[in-house]
Amino acid sequence: MKYKILKAIDVSGLTFLAPIVRLATGEEPDVQIRAIMQMIVVPIVAFAVFVGLWSQLAPRHKTKSGEVPTPAVVWDAAQGIWTFHAREGDKETAYVLAGEQRESALMAAKDRLAEIDPLTELADRQVADAEQEKSAQVAELTAPLRTKLAVVSERYGADQAARKARWMERADRTAVSDTDARLALLGAWNEHDLRTREEREELKNLRAEIDTVGAQAFPALSAAQKAQTAIAEERQFLRKRIEVLTAYNRNEKARAGEQQLADLRSKYLQADGGAAMAGLAANIARTRTRVESIRESNYARPYTLPMQILRSLLCVFVGFLLGSLIAIPIGILCGLSPTFMAAMMPFIALFKPVSPIVWLPIALIVVGGFIPDPDDHWLINGFAGLPLVGWMKINPAFLASAITVALCSMWATMVNTALGVASIDDDHTNVARMLRLSARERLFRIVLPSALPLIFAGLRISLSVGWMVLIAAELLSSSEGIGKYVWDMFNNGASDSFAKMFVVVFVVGSIGLALDRIMIVFQRLVSFDGAPTAI
Amino acid sequence: MAYLELAKVSKGFGPPSQRTAVLADVELAVDENEFVAILGFSGSGKSTLVGILAGLIDPDEGDVMLANKVVVDPGPERGVMFQNYSLLPWLTVEGNIALAVRKVMPGLSRVERAEYVQRYVDMVNLTGSEAKCPDELSGGMRQRASLARTLAMRPNVLLLDEPLSALDALTRANLQDEIVRIWEEDKRTVVMITNDVDEAALMADRIIVLTPGPRATLGPSFDVDLPRPRDRAGLNRDRRFQALRKRITGYMLNFTKTQAGDEARSRRRMPAIEPRVFEAA
Ligand SMILES: Nc1ncnc2c1ncn2[C@@H]1O[C@H](COP(=O)(O)OP(=O)(O)OP(=O)(O)O)[C@@H](O)[C@H]1O
Ligand SMILES: [Mg+2]
């Protein structure tokens, strides 16, 4: 039992769990504790230190998009993203609910709305109080500064006026021909100008000082504001949900349509004269198609980050699959035939370093050429018909991103496959020759199994490269996905956009890590030599 | 006419400029159903000889003939047991044997094949280790697995390259009997490489010595006219056996002596060649 667990841990590459299992079974406790310290405690402490430094340093740097978010703010943003996702999901179901379910959902929404209405007032009052308190405190803190400002600015104003008056007086007295005196006056004017500017600068600094005090973080106020925003958002959501459950609900709309249809029909039956009847008949037909399409319709749900993550995963998977399907056969051919390898070498060397940023526009154009009408193309329709991915609305931008992923990621697999196939052991070839295996058998029974560990090592590199490339490709192609989310956040300038980008950093990192882990498991499963795989 | 023949076979390795001739003018004629043991010094070219007989190594000169036909390619009718076992590391013991069996006896059903494989696994005492991969086996176990694979192919010609070198005395004795039994049972032709004179005398009809390299060639052959079945315990006391053994060891010792003498006389300096390390995988 214990060894089975340890074996599974080893295969999955989660080696940090091994000492815990060993400790639990009482095996050399001091050795295990040391291992736990090293493999678990140290990374956790390091991460904690990182978070601590981050929360200390982040607020010091102010940018156009606001402060660099602290871990707490990022965490809030992550929750906000999730809430938005969940609420959109609620609306989507609300749109199709019918009968009793719809009514009970409606009741629940109304109840909740009634519940939070008083809370809204409370939150508003708290914000107002906090604001008042803040302005009182600010006023108190800035009082001496402001008095100083008033005094100084008055004095400077007077000084300036006096200086100017004196100068005018002197100017009035200089004769036209007195060049020297006039030139000296010019110098005096410059002096006056300089002084005035210095004084203005000083005043500006004073005002900035006052502003800084006013702009100081005020935790009570921001907490109150946060609560207020949360309630306002929920209220808005509930209102919208009620709307979607009533007037917007597709069944309700369809019912209204049916009603209209019935009215029209009775009108039609009463109508006299061909012209009137024809008009009504056309109207009935129109209304019927409309009602039918309403019945089929779904809530136009905006992409939320979790959906975009899924779509990105599909995209990287499609690209990775495509790349592997190209790379593995070519790699095998390269490994088998040095001539073919020599023929491929220039292409590999030439295309390998090309950046995704270059491939993407090319891919977009090429895909666009193949799919002139995205709304009616067998490939797009085929994807739309698939059960789990149909909702993702696969489009040319998606395909171009996937192709870019394939083009950038396949080289590692290709080179590794070629190497694996070419470096097959002579002993194994001898066995194949002695048994007189056919070319096919030789490929599938000798060559591929012996190259498999290297092929998988290549696939692992390809997948991580693909994941990196994908985000850039999506950002550029506006294919709905993580990359596009980042780009939208960069462009929309909402107060929490910056924090949401940080959320994306962690999401992308965790998914990349998970993908790599999965590949490690595969790699270990196919490696027969028991050699440890690099972590 | 002999069944398996080598006619004036030579083989060297290395680029033309510094080619070392490993085998030179090797003549060998093995009759059908004959059991020939080849004795030789380490590094003299025994494995190269096996490779040539199997068709895995092309001789520079001369031909390999099987039943009067020149053979170029290897094939399953000449089953080789490689000195370094050459098991496929991604297959289990069972899988390694089954791969060969599938190729040699394509008509077997899955169940029949499993039974057949199991017989050979049992024969080499690997019962219980069928599902292990070569990396999980000891050197001796690998050797036995490799032997089982070769025997299971039931080839017309068995080419065994030091098949029992890594085994303990008891297992070795058992497998010696087993090889002889199989050879007697359905009468095949066996060429076995060994460096153990007793083993050769116990098993073979004829013992041939490969002279030391470079330019190794096959020396005179010694007929083993001991009656079969041969009794291992009694053999040591057998006069004919003792005489044979003396002749062979004498012949071989002579080589080492002349070599030493040659060297002492000519004070020839040794060529500056690094010894190559051959790892038994
Ligand atoms: N592929 C090769 N390339 C170069 N030299 C080789 C090659 N194979 C064998 N040789 C050389 O040929 C000589 C004979 O090798 P071989 O393996 O046939 O010896 P052997 O008699 O089987 O030795 P052992 O008793 O150690 O198995 C050695 O000197 C070796 O260095
Ligand atoms: Mg050898």
Side-chain angles (χ1 to χ4, degrees):
Chain A
M1 179 62 194
K2 172 183 161 193
Y3 287 99
K4 265 190 192 155
I5 297 178
L6 287 176
K7 175 98 186 155
I9 285 173
D10 184 50
V11 167
S12 62
L14 304 170
T15 35
F16 63 91
L17 292 175
I20 296 182
V21 175
R22 286 182 197 276
L23 188 65
T25 53
E27 187 186 314
E28 293 178 292
D30 44 334
V31 176
Q32 306 313 335
I33 286 174
R34 216 174 314 133
I36 290 176
M37 286 300 274
Q38 198 171 42
M39 293 207 279
I40 301 176
V41 178
V42 170
I44 288 178
V45 169
F47 197 76
V49 168
F50 162 72
V51 170
L53 277 178
W54 174 14
S55 39
Q56 285 306 305
L57 295 180
R60 304 221 182 138
H61 183 65
K62 300 207 163 41
T63 68
K64 260 197 310 204
S65 313
E67 272 172 19
V68 175
T70 60
V73 175
V74 171
W75 180 245
D76 284 343
Q79 282 176 325
I81 290 172
W82 184 255
T83 313
F84 179 59
H85 173 71
R87 284 179 179 169
E88 285 304 318
D90 273 352
K91 285 187 212 165
E92 191 178 29
T93 38
Y95 185 75
V96 299
L97 279 184
E100 239 163 69
Q101 276 179 318
R102 183 186 69 86
E103 259 146 44
S104 63
L106 188 59
M107 286 284 277
K110 279 184 174 159
D111 285 352
R112 177 71 189 145
L113 194 60
E115 213 173 289
I116 66 168
D117 259 339
L119 293 180
T120 315
E121 273 168 41
L122 188 70
D124 288 351
R125 220 173 26 245
Q126 271 168 353
V127 169
D129 287 352
E131 261 166 1
Q132 213 162 31
E133 199 179 323
K134 181 187 172 180
S135 44
Q137 267 198 27
V138 169
E140 195 185 310
L141 281 171
T142 53
L145 283 171
R146 273 183 295 127
T147 357
K148 189 175 167 197
L149 178 69
V151 172
V152 172
S153 85
E154 197 174 326
R155 199 178 64 223
Y156 285 169
D159 283 1
Q160 280 161 22
R163 278 202 305 271
K164 196 166 175 193
R166 269 205 305 282
W167 192 86
M168 292 285 267
E169 204 185 320
R170 276 171 67 191
D172 280 342
R173 276 190 275 116
T174 47
V176 176
S177 53
D178 192 353
T179 318
D180 284 350
R182 288 201 168 197
L183 283 178
L185 266 177
L186 208 54
W189 179 265
N190 277 345
E191 220 166 274
H192 158 73
D193 208 38
L194 212 65
R195 278 280 294 282
T196 312
R197 241 181 292 160
E198 270 167 16
E199 284 161 4
R200 258 192 228 135
E201 188 70 19
E202 208 181 317
L203 289 175
K204 208 171 98 188
N205 286 343
L206 258 175
R207 278 196 206 95
E209 217 174 312
I210 294 169
D211 285 348
T212 322
V213 175
Q216 255 171 19
F218 207 73
L221 179 60
S222 26
Q225 275 167 339
K226 211 167 102 181
Q228 188 192 31
T229 320
I231 287 173
E233 275 174 0
E234 188 174 354
R235 229 159 80 109
Q236 199 188 3
F237 158 68
L238 285 169
R239 290 226 179 91
K240 183 77 192 168
R241 184 170 156 81
I242 288 168
E243 204 171 43
V244 176
L245 279 167
T246 51
Y248 259 26
N249 182 280
R250 81 172 178 193
N251 300 306
E252 290 303 293
K253 272 197 284 188
R255 211 169 60 193
E258 292 285 2
Q259 189 60 49
Q260 204 182 348
L261 212 54
D263 290 351
L264 282 171
R265 200 172 290 130
S266 60
K267 259 191 220 154
Y268 171 78
L269 292 176
Q270 309 294 318
D272 55 353
M277 278 170 72
L280 281 165
N283 203 345
I284 287 174
R286 231 184 3 255
T287 312
R288 184 172 297 129
T289 27
R290 189 170 59 85
V291 170
E292 266 156 25
S293 75
I294 286 172
R295 280 225 178 80
E296 299 282 288
S297 68
N298 268 313
Y299 175 70
R301 183 177 181 173
Y303 279 97
T304 52
L305 184 59
M307 292 161 78
Q308 285 165 316
I309 290 171
L310 290 179
R311 205 166 181 274
S312 285
L313 279 172
L314 180 73
C315 192
V316 82
F317 182 71
V318 169
F320 175 63
L321 202 70
L322 198 68
S324 307
L325 287 179
I326 298 169
I328 293 177
I330 292 183
I332 290 174
L333 289 177
C334 283
L336 290 177
S337 148
T339 317
F340 189 77
M341 169 87 102
M344 288 306 292
M345 223 46 221
F347 298 101
I348 297 178
L350 192 66
F351 293 145
K352 201 168 79 161
V354 175
S355 142
I357 315 283
V358 182
W359 285 126
L360 184 84
I362 298 175
L364 271 174
I365 293 169
V366 171
V367 170
F370 277 111
I371 307 182
D373 177 14
D375 293 331
D376 185 25
H377 188 270
W378 59 268
L379 192 58
I380 307 285
N381 292 340
F383 266 116
L386 290 178
L388 278 171
V389 300
W391 59 267
M392 291 185 190
K393 301 210 178 59
I394 305 311
N395 53 5
F398 177 94
L399 295 176
S401 308
I403 289 171
T404 305
V405 167
L407 284 172
C408 292
S409 72
M410 67 184 188
W411 310 107
T413 303
M414 196 182 288
V415 171
N416 266 32
T417 307
L419 184 68
V421 171
S423 62
I424 175 168
D425 201 327
D426 270 350
D427 292 342
H428 304 157
T429 334
N430 278 345
V431 172
R433 289 176 63 199
M434 174 181 77
L435 292 176
R436 213 174 271 157
L437 297 184
S438 64
R440 218 184 109 100
E441 284 170 323
R442 201 179 276 221
L443 181 64
F444 285 105
R445 298 204 179 277
I446 310 285
V447 173
L448 282 184
S450 96
L452 220 48
L454 265 178
I455 295 179
F456 267 82
L459 286 175
R460 185 180 153 207
I461 301 173
S462 282
L463 188 57
S464 53
V465 169
W467 182 241
M468 267 202 279
V469 163
L470 175 74
I471 312 290
E474 282 175 341
L475 193 146
L476 220 70
S477 71
S478 292
S479 167
E480 285 293 348
I482 300 177
K484 172 144 188 297
Y485 184 84
V486 174
W487 192 236
D488 289 347
M489 286 306 118
F490 179 67
N491 283 324
N492 77 0
S495 59
D496 57 352
S497 294
F498 202 18
K500 283 178 178 167
M501 289 187 221
F502 277 71
V503 175
V504 171
V505 169
F506 286 97
V507 167
V508 171
S510 324
I511 292 175
L513 178 75
L515 292 178
D516 199 46
R517 286 275 134 198
I518 293 170
M519 289 310 288
I520 287 182
V521 174
F522 280 126
Q523 204 181 337
R524 290 202 181 200
L525 287 178
V526 299
S527 71
F528 42 80
D529 47 5
T533 313
I535 301 302
Chain B
M1 204 54 202
Y3 182 58
L4 180 64
E5 265 184 284
L6 290 183
K8 283 222 163 283
V9 164
S10 300
K11 179 71 190 172
F13 288 107
S17 57
Q18 44 183 358
R19 200 161 176 83
T20 43
V22 174
L23 295 175
D25 295 332
V26 176
E27 300 272 358
L28 175 69
V30 182
D31 287 329
E32 192 159 12
N33 306 338
E34 199 184 7
F35 195 133
V36 170
I38 292 178
L39 278 174
F41 299 92
S42 178
S44 56
K46 302 184 299 291
S47 299
T48 311
L49 187 68
V50 167
I52 291 172
L53 283 170
L56 291 166
I57 300 176
D58 279 336
D60 299 337
E61 282 166 44
D63 290 318
V64 186
M65 283 190 292
L66 183 69
N68 288 326
K69 280 200 234 37
V70 175
V71 287
V72 227
D73 293 325
E77 78 286 347
R78 273 160 294 146
V80 188
M81 182 189 157
F82 298 94
Q83 188 179 10
N84 55 10
Y85 320 143
S86 297
L87 295 167
L88 303 177
W90 53 90
L91 294 178
T92 59
V93 168
E94 209 170 13
N96 267 291
I97 302 173
L99 176 68
V101 172
R102 196 193 310 251
K103 197 62 197 172
V104 180
M105 281 168 273
L108 292 188
S109 75
R110 181 188 284 271
V111 180
E112 285 169 333
R113 189 166 60 230
E115 275 172 12
Y116 183 86
V117 169
Q118 191 62 47
R119 236 187 17 248
Y120 284 88
V121 170
D122 294 345
M123 184 186 290
V124 297
N125 286 330
L126 280 177
T127 321
S129 304
E130 297 90 342
K132 288 195 176 145
C133 285
D135 281 298
E136 299 169 295
L137 299 179
S138 75
M141 288 164 94
R142 279 182 229 171
Q143 193 168 37
R144 282 182 276 150
S146 175
L147 180 64
R149 176 175 66 186
T150 313
L151 295 181
M153 284 163 61
R154 295 168 154 268
N156 292 335
V157 179
L158 270 165
L159 303 169
L160 308 174
D161 193 352
E162 305 194 13
L164 308 171
S165 58
L167 305 178
D168 64 281
L170 189 64
T171 318
R172 189 169 181 153
N174 278 339
L175 288 176
Q176 283 169 350
D177 293 345
E178 207 61 62
I179 293 172
V180 171
R181 191 183 59 73
I182 286 178
W183 165 71
E184 278 177 337
E185 223 166 57
D186 28 38
K187 281 298 172 192
R188 315 215 184 148
T189 309
V190 177
V191 176
M192 181 177 82
I193 308 289
T194 177
N195 43 30
D196 181 348
V197 183
D198 289 8
E199 183 174 84
L202 179 72
M203 296 171 78
D205 293 329
R206 203 144 59 88
I207 299 172
I208 309 178
V209 177
L210 187 66
T211 64
R215 300 186 62 77
T217 190
L218 287 173
S221 73
F222 301 86
D223 286 325
V224 187
D225 46 3
L226 300 170
R228 289 179 193 270
R230 293 169 188 166
D231 169 31
R232 192 184 315 278
L235 216 53
N236 269 324
R237 275 169 275 129
D238 191 310
R239 305 219 82 126
R240 280 171 301 179
F241 172 74
Q242 284 169 354
L244 177 70
R245 188 164 133 176
K246 205 168 165 188
R247 264 164 55 215
I248 298 173
T249 38
Y251 177 75
M252 291 179 77
L253 271 174
N254 201 30
F255 271 115
T256 38
K257 268 192 204 136
T258 46
Q259 228 173 17
D262 279 353
E263 264 162 45
R265 258 194 304 280
S266 63
R267 297 205 177 274
R268 193 194 315 151
R269 269 198 285 147
M270 292 301 284
I273 299 171
E274 293 271 313
R276 287 194 44 172
V277 180
F278 281 93
E279 267 180 290

